[in-house]
Amino acid sequence: QKEVEQNSGPLSVPEGAIASLNCTYSDRGSQSFFWYRQYSGKSPELIMFIYSNGDKEDGRFTAQLNKASQYVSLLIRDSQPSDSATYLCASGAGVSGNTPLVFGKGTRLSVIA
Amino acid sequence: DVKVTQSSRYLVKRTGEKVFLECVQDMDHENMFWYRQDPGLGLRLIYFSYDVKMKEKGDIPEGYSVSREKKERFSLILESASTNQTSMYLCASSPILHGNMGGYTFGSGTRLTVV
């Protein structure tokens, strides 16, 4: 059973701090990784994706991938109260374009003003 | 702006009714999905489709069926609605990129209540 594990939280950080969200995955063949943000009562929104080992930066967001450790993380710099949401991590099998992503259950982030 | 559109935001149905949830995407994506999301259980895949008239069962297909007659439209059918199907239903679509599943674009969701 392919799994993606996330700490459910809540993770509380003060405004302006760095929030670090972590995710591990069980399928060593996974090739692509996605981070979604979901506000309460809304649908998930894709914010980052990463395919290669190392870091990928986009504005205040940095995704980090370590395939040897089967570990993905999302860093949010200068956290804002508007970043308060649930963050879902997902992995893609890399077997074919027809295999659904595997989602974690999400980590709830709370940014305290 | 690319979109996945779900026909209803809120829906209330009676036990035993046949329920149709419609989803349309305008991005020419090959793959389409139906999930339900319940507190503490995360996203659970009901059915998906990777081509017109093709469908694959997900993790929880019981009590549901789907139809994909056109590439842009994927319908979820609750054959006989039951109270345990009260949930948020999310449709998503994704492209195939370099042979792999691309990131999903989700619709805004349908909150279904079965009474």
Side-chain angles (χ1 to χ4, degrees):
Chain A
Q1 180 80 0
K2 298 171 185 175
E3 292 183 336
V4 171
E5 299 285 343
Q6 296 182 257
N7 188 320
S8 63
L11 172 67
S12 294
V13 300
E15 184 175 358
I18 296 175
S20 177
L21 303 160
N22 305 313
C23 162
T24 58
Y25 59 95
S26 63
D27 180 12
R28 191 166 283 280
S30 295
Q31 296 292 324
S32 54
F33 304 88
F34 304 87
W35 282 100
Y36 290 84
R37 176 177 62 201
Q38 186 174 23
Y39 293 116
S40 181
K42 303 293 186 182
S43 60
E45 171 194 13
L46 180 65
I47 54 173
M48 290 285 289
F49 61 89
I50 186 167
Y51 295 109
S52 303
N53 271 331
D55 295 0
K56 179 181 179 182
E57 189 173 316
D58 184 1
R60 296 187 295 113
F61 298 98
T62 299
Q64 299 176 317
L65 174 60
N66 183 327
K67 288 187 178 180
S69 300
Q70 295 177 240
Y71 179 91
V72 192
S73 64
L74 179 70
L75 302 179
I76 306 175
R77 289 181 300 281
D78 187 24
S79 296
Q80 301 298 310
S82 59
D83 295 325
S84 298
T86 296
Y87 290 80
L88 305 175
C89 174
S91 69
V95 174
S96 74
N98 301 330
T99 305
L101 301 183
V102 179
F103 283 86
K105 292 183 178 180
T107 297
R108 190 153 53 94
L109 172 67
S110 179
V111 180
I112 311 299
Chain B
D1 196 16
V2 294
K3 277 188 178 174
V4 177
T5 302
Q6 294 184 233
S7 52
S8 304
R9 187 73 180 94
Y10 299 96
L11 213 51
V12 179
K13 295 292 182 180
R14 296 197 179 276
T15 301
E17 277 193 78
K18 192 168 186 176
V19 181
F20 294 86
L21 301 182
E22 305 286 345
C23 176
V24 177
Q25 53 101 357
D26 65 1
M27 296 166 284
D28 200 34
H29 284 171
E30 292 85 355
N31 302 301
M32 295 189 75
F33 309 86
W34 276 105
Y35 287 86
R36 61 178 286 178
Q37 189 174 37
D38 301 287
L41 297 179
L43 288 168
R44 292 185 289 169
L45 181 63
I46 304 171
Y47 268 97
F48 69 101
S49 168
Y50 55 87
D51 203 351
V52 176
K53 297 191 184 296
M54 302 304 292
K55 58 185 179 183
E56 295 285 343
K57 293 180 180 179
D59 301 317
I60 53 164
E62 297 79 17
Y64 303 94
S65 62
V66 290
S67 172
R68 193 170 182 196
E69 296 296 318
K70 294 184 177 182
K71 189 176 185 179
E72 68 270 19
R73 186 179 296 269
F74 193 36
S75 303
L76 179 69
I77 304 148
L78 285 65
E79 298 291 343
S80 177
S82 64
T83 54
N84 64 13
Q85 292 179 310
T86 292
S87 186
M88 171 69 92
Y89 289 86
L90 291 164
C91 176
S93 71
S94 77
I96 297 175
L97 299 175
H98 310 295
N100 294 320
M101 181 72 68
Y104 293 3
T105 299
F106 284 89
S108 55
T110 295
R111 187 164 293 281
L112 173 68
T113 303
V114 182
V115 298

